[in-house]
Amino acid sequence: MRKPTRRQREADVTSRLTVRTESRPRQRAATVTMAAAIAAVAGLLVGCSESNGTAPTPETSAAAPVSASPSSPPLPGSSIQVSVPPAADNAVPGKVAFDPCFRVEDSLIAAAGFDAGSRERNSAEVTDFPTRTDVGCTFWRYADINGEVALTGALDIMTSTSTLADVTGNDKYQVIDSAPINGRPAAIYRMTEEIMMSSCYAAIEAPDGTLQIAVDKAPSAAVTPEPCEQIREVAEIIAPALDS
């Protein structure tokens, strides 16, 4: 199976991974493409900090020793192979205590069906707002499509100071399931005005506010289940990290 070159991968993403991300609890309204993140253009949203923006190909996802962050180090004995920088502006532990980048282990990411080796800071982190903080990481999903390794979706895991009530009480969000996740109050929702319906979200009550989990899908990626068909399963896999 041939692996794509960076140019082939970016062209594939540009044509297939357009994502509508309006008014997520951690983001301002905007329409973006995942190709923008891959190409490292200015962050997904106005006012949000920028990540390195490069979606690694399978060959660049090799394990690297994790560097302990002075603000949110991995727990002793944790299994995280890829190093990421700490959140900006001393957001952890200055504003929130739980940083998914350092607390959600590789085994959970792999169990959810995503590439743990693609761990990177989410480009829509919010660390400098006086009333809201959102920090976390993005992970990518690949599949063999007609003998080619293709990027088919993404997983965002964010700690947010937004509360569950901020989600359930906002008419911009369509709550489709409010059953608990891993024993915690939760809501599964999507954007009311999201045209492409290529993303689905879970908000789980957490000490900092909520743990926000988003599953994004390439519109043409037939091999990947619809986001709202898999978000609960993914969230149930990730949520136990809150108890670690």
Side-chain angles (χ1 to χ4, degrees), residues 18 27 43 46 57 77 80 103 112 115 139 168 180 189 197-198 224 230:
T18 301
Q27 301 172 342
V46 175
T57 60
I80 296 177
R103 300 290 292 277
D115 179 11
F139 305 85
T168 59
Y189 65 101
M197 296 299 180
S198 59
T224 305
Q230 58 182 312

Side-chain angles (χ1 to χ4, degrees), residues 15-244:
S15 63
R16 303 187 336 139
L17 282 182
T18 301
V19 180
R20 180 82 170 179
T21 58
E22 295 188 27
S23 304
R24 293 187 188 182
R26 65 183 187 274
Q27 301 172 342
R28 295 180 183 177
T31 300
V32 302
T33 65
M34 293 175 73
I38 293 172
V41 292
L44 291 177
L45 303 166
V46 175
C48 295
S49 56
E50 179 180 289
S51 75
N52 63 14
T54 302
T57 60
E59 57 265 51
T60 63
S61 297
V66 65
S67 298
S69 159
S71 62
S72 180
L75 294 179
S78 66
S79 175
I80 296 177
Q81 295 181 310
V82 174
S83 175
V84 296
D89 301 314
N90 196 36
V92 184
K95 299 176 181 179
V96 296
F98 185 88
D99 185 344
C101 292
F102 295 104
R103 300 290 292 277
V104 180
E105 296 192 1
D106 289 354
S107 59
L108 299 182
I109 302 303
F114 292 83
D115 179 11
S118 67
R119 182 185 302 260
E120 65 179 49
R121 279 275 165 205
N122 187 283
S123 59
E125 283 192 329
V126 177
T127 60
D128 58 353
F129 286 8
T131 59
R132 191 182 75 229
T133 299
D134 308 301
V135 299
C137 267
T138 294
F139 305 85
W140 304 90
R141 169 184 276 161
Y142 304 93
D144 178 358
I145 300 179
N146 298 325
E148 299 287 344
V149 177
L151 183 61
T152 60
L155 169 66
D156 299 327
I157 307 175
M158 306 284 284
T159 284
S160 177
T161 54
S162 297
T163 66
L164 192 59
D166 291 333
V167 173
T168 59
N170 192 325
D171 60 8
K172 292 182 179 180
Y173 310 136
Q174 176 190 2
V175 177
I176 57 180
D177 185 353
S178 57
I181 293 176
N182 195 44
R184 295 175 180 267
I188 291 175
Y189 65 101
R190 67 191 336 160
M191 301 300 124
T192 304
E193 299 179 0
E194 187 170 11
I195 297 173
M196 298 186 67
M197 296 299 180
S198 59
S199 304
C200 204
Y201 314 88
I204 306 169
E205 193 169 86
D208 291 314
T210 51
L211 182 68
Q212 296 280 341
I213 299 171
V215 173
D216 302 316
K217 177 194 173 184
S220 60
V223 296
T224 305
E226 291 302 316
C228 284
E229 293 176 1
Q230 58 182 312
I231 185 65
R232 171 165 289 278
E233 179 181 358
V234 170
E236 291 281 4
I237 291 169
I238 301 300
L242 289 167
D243 301 321
S244 62

